[in-house]
Amino acid sequence: MKHRFGSIVLDTAFRVLVPFTLLYGFYVLVHGEYSPGGGFQAGALLAAGVLIARLVQGEEAVYDLSGNKAVVLAGLGAGLYALIGFITMVFGGKFLEYGRLPLSVHDPAELHVYGILGIEIGVTIGVMATIIAIFDALTRGEDLYDD
Amino acid sequence: MAELYLEAILLILLIATTLIVLTVKDLMAAIVVYSAFSYFAVLFYLMVGSPDVAFTEAVIGVVSTVFFISALKKLNRGVKH
């Protein structure tokens, strides 16, 4: 997309801020067990990156997750959480008993790492899509820049 | 001892910003001061040793400010042109 949106300050802020915000969101998700952060914070950071894009570019945003797509994505995030929980139940454990996950590793601690990473990814997708859906519902059918 | 004074200052700032949010007439000003309240809350959480809560508060403070301003745009009042 070649044409310029907004002023040059907004343009530069968008190009510098958004990639680093999204990258930091992924970092917080993956490093959630060693440092402060986790699924919720990572999802909120990713949503903040998308919201910056929306605020600068308006309707023609690159990260188009508008309307029903965001709601469906939120449902998929919650579904991933529930899926991991029920997989462990299918293989003979309790709900979210990660030691029963059907992976090829047999160390229970490592199984816990994979299970928690899986549900954190679900939480991240759910939180990100929910925040974007709320923003869409608040700004539906109006141009943010009219006076 | 210095930490105690710093905590007291932060608590006074938190109460002061809350009172300003409750009493100010312009809604846009209330939103901006609420954002400042969120920032002081982040500093306070960091001082009492819970960086996880501080991180959450920082991110949610930004997102909720965006929500409040877009809701205010829909209300069509409170912003002086």
Side-chain angles (χ1 to χ4, degrees), chain A residues 94-107:
Chain A
K94 299 191 185 75
F95 188 68
L96 291 178
E97 188 181 341
Y98 306 115
R100 301 294 185 117
L101 277 176
L103 295 175
S104 56
V105 288
H106 293 293
D107 185 16

Side-chain angles (χ1 to χ4, degrees), chain A residues 76-140:
Chain A
L76 280 181
L80 180 60
Y81 192 113
L83 181 73
I84 291 173
F86 284 122
I87 281 177
T88 60
M89 280 176 83
V90 166
F91 284 88
K94 299 191 185 75
F95 188 68
L96 291 178
E97 188 181 341
Y98 306 115
R100 301 294 185 117
L101 277 176
L103 295 175
S104 56
V105 288
H106 293 293
D107 185 16
E110 205 170 340
L111 279 176
H112 272 119
V113 169
Y114 288 128
I116 292 177
L117 186 62
I119 67 161
E120 292 281 314
I121 290 172
V123 170
T124 303
I125 296 172
V127 170
M128 180 186 85
T130 306
I131 289 176
I132 294 169
I134 293 174
F135 181 75
D136 268 332
L138 282 173
T139 60
R140 181 169 295 145

